[in-house]
Amino acid sequence: MNSIQAHSDDLGFDSEGIHLMASIKYWALLDEAGKSVSFSRLRKHFMNDQSKDRERQAYGNRKYEWIQQWYELTAKLLGLGPVLPEDQLNLKVCESKFTELKKSAICVELATFSSYYLTSENKEGESLSFDDDDRKLYLNYCAGIMDESPATLWLAWKEFNNCIEKIVKANSGQNYTWAFVGVGVAALAVFALPIAGVIGGVMGLSGAAASSAGLALLGGGSLAAGGLGMTGGYIILVAGGAIISYGTGSMQHQQKLREISKEDLLINCGKLFAAAKVFDLYGEQTADICKQALRLQTDLEADADKAFLSGNKEIGQAMEAKSQVMRSFRRLLRGDLH
């Protein structure tokens, strides 16, 4: 087994591991919601203490409602059980005996999660926020469960966004992948669907379609691990594992990765970048990662050629856009994108 395959195993998780990650996110969000003061950074300065308490409680309740809906829907789509009890989280992490690489992969997934993306507005028309202070509350909780430094998780989030913003900027403007510059991941379309539309659109899904929707809700950028030939019955790859496994996976895995949206591919790149920069998951293997990314880029360009030549301009443009993402990612890895 070569080094890339070894890392693929460390980035693969079965349903039990997914359940644990979802449960940690759930309790971390509840902790954040109970402490959040992001309800109105302007208006709260003009409120008396009693009004602030009422506003904070009402705002927290709206967040609680979102969190419950998020977990219920994610669990339904991915076939997870009820959320794990909070007092069992630390024990479950210890009992799982994760390798350091696997633990780091979980930390990347926790650090890069964006919440409240399903709803742009609540019933009163005020958006739910997940600003830097809220994220730090969330990350502090996650760090305690994973026995990791909150500063390390915060750095992983920053590097994730740094990667995404640089790739978006490199591919923005007329005739390019995105029409905006310098935008963070929370603004990407993959996180911007109204909650009513998401629930209405996925409750009837089953099989692979349900899994894909559930993984999007879990945080995006994960890929069902069919066709990798990995041991242990792994069902998803996280922390950019889908990209580093591209050359060693089956044709089924390669096709599946090329078919995901450019936003999901971008999220994969961001997580892989954070894993490499903050947790050194891949050691001296940057050249190997670039090689896998180049292979994916080349195959996407071949898909674009085939689509354009057969007269399918829309698919050709989509494939070309994804190849541009991979080219920019390689440039960032080798220090050629600023």
Side-chain angles (χ1 to χ4, degrees):
M1 179 180 292
N2 64 34
S3 55
I4 287 290
Q5 288 174 318
H7 283 308
S8 298
D9 277 342
D10 282 307
L11 301 181
F13 287 85
D14 59 15
S15 59
E16 186 174 346
I18 299 169
H19 191 197
L20 177 57
M21 281 190 280
S23 295
I24 295 173
K25 291 177 181 180
Y26 173 87
W27 288 110
L29 287 173
L30 283 185
D31 185 71
E32 173 271 321
K35 299 173 181 177
S36 174
V37 294
S38 63
F39 54 87
S40 176
R41 295 204 174 277
L42 177 62
R43 287 192 300 112
K44 70 182 181 182
H45 293 295
F46 301 97
M47 295 177 178
N48 58 39
D49 290 341
Q50 187 176 15
S51 296
K52 286 181 183 179
D53 288 341
R54 284 198 303 269
E55 185 82 6
R56 183 182 294 110
Q57 183 175 359
Y59 185 68
N61 288 340
R62 291 195 292 273
K63 285 195 167 186
Y64 291 151
E65 181 180 355
W66 184 93
I67 296 163
Q68 297 296 336
Q69 289 177 322
W70 167 79
Y71 186 85
E72 178 183 347
L73 187 54
T74 303
K76 179 179 178 65
L77 291 168
L78 295 178
L80 307 178
V83 66
L84 294 172
E86 184 178 19
D87 59 4
Q88 292 184 18
L89 295 180
N90 291 99
L91 179 61
K92 286 288 185 181
V93 172
C94 291
E95 288 179 345
S96 298
K97 297 181 180 179
F98 295 124
T99 65
E100 283 302 309
L101 288 172
K102 217 171 186 72
K103 177 185 169 185
S104 295
I106 295 174
C107 286
V108 170
E109 289 299 311
L110 296 175
T112 57
F113 181 63
S114 287
S115 63
Y116 312 123
Y117 50 79
L118 296 180
T119 175
S120 59
E121 294 182 333
N122 61 32
K123 294 178 180 179
E124 288 75 28
E126 182 179 53
S127 62
L128 295 175
S129 176
F130 196 54
D131 62 15
D132 285 354
D133 290 338
D134 290 336
R135 179 169 291 280
K136 287 176 180 177
L137 291 171
Y138 161 81
L139 292 178
N140 284 345
Y141 186 97
C142 293
I145 298 298
M146 297 304 299
D147 191 27
E148 183 58 82
S149 163
T152 299
L153 296 190
W154 176 254
L155 182 58
W157 163 250
K158 298 297 287 185
E159 291 292 356
F160 170 70
N161 262 308
N162 178 48
C163 173
I164 286 176
E165 291 183 358
K166 286 185 177 181
I167 292 176
V168 168
K169 186 175 181 179
N171 294 280
S172 297
Q174 188 176 7
N175 298 325
Y176 285 88
T177 306
W178 284 277
F180 37 78
V181 176
V183 64
V185 67
L188 294 176
V190 70
F191 293 133
L193 297 174
I195 189 168
V198 171
I199 293 177
V202 304
M203 289 305 284
L205 295 179
S206 61
S211 296
S212 295
L215 293 177
L217 294 177
L218 190 63
S222 301
L223 189 72
L228 281 175
M230 296 192 301
T231 58
Y234 299 136
I235 61 174
I236 70 165
L237 286 166
V238 302
I243 294 174
I244 67 168
S245 302
Y246 186 75
T248 57
S250 68
M251 291 180 64
Q252 176 191 1
H253 170 72
Q254 293 174 356
Q255 183 70 26
K256 187 182 298 182
L257 182 57
R258 297 202 306 274
E259 289 176 349
I260 66 175
S261 70
K262 67 178 184 292
E263 286 80 16
D264 243 345
L265 189 60
L266 181 60
I267 292 168
N268 265 285
C269 291
K271 290 182 177 182
L272 181 52
F273 187 75
K277 292 285 286 187
V278 179
F279 294 99
D280 195 28
L281 252 62
Y282 310 109
E284 300 299 319
Q285 297 183 76
T286 302
D288 288 332
I289 298 173
C290 285
K291 183 178 180 180
Q292 298 300 326
L294 176 58
R295 181 168 180 174
L296 174 54
Q297 176 191 335
T298 301
D299 286 351
L300 286 166
E301 289 175 346
D303 289 342
D305 290 345
K306 183 178 179 180
F308 279 119
L309 290 170
S310 63
N312 199 326
K313 182 178 179 181
E314 184 177 353
I315 292 179
Q317 289 174 333
M319 292 300 177
E320 179 65 21
K322 287 186 278 190
S323 73
Q324 291 174 11
V325 169
M326 296 313 303
R327 180 178 184 276
S328 296
F329 179 58
R330 289 175 45 244
R331 290 184 60 203
L332 184 61
L333 284 173
R334 68 194 190 200
D336 184 36
L337 185 66
H338 305 288

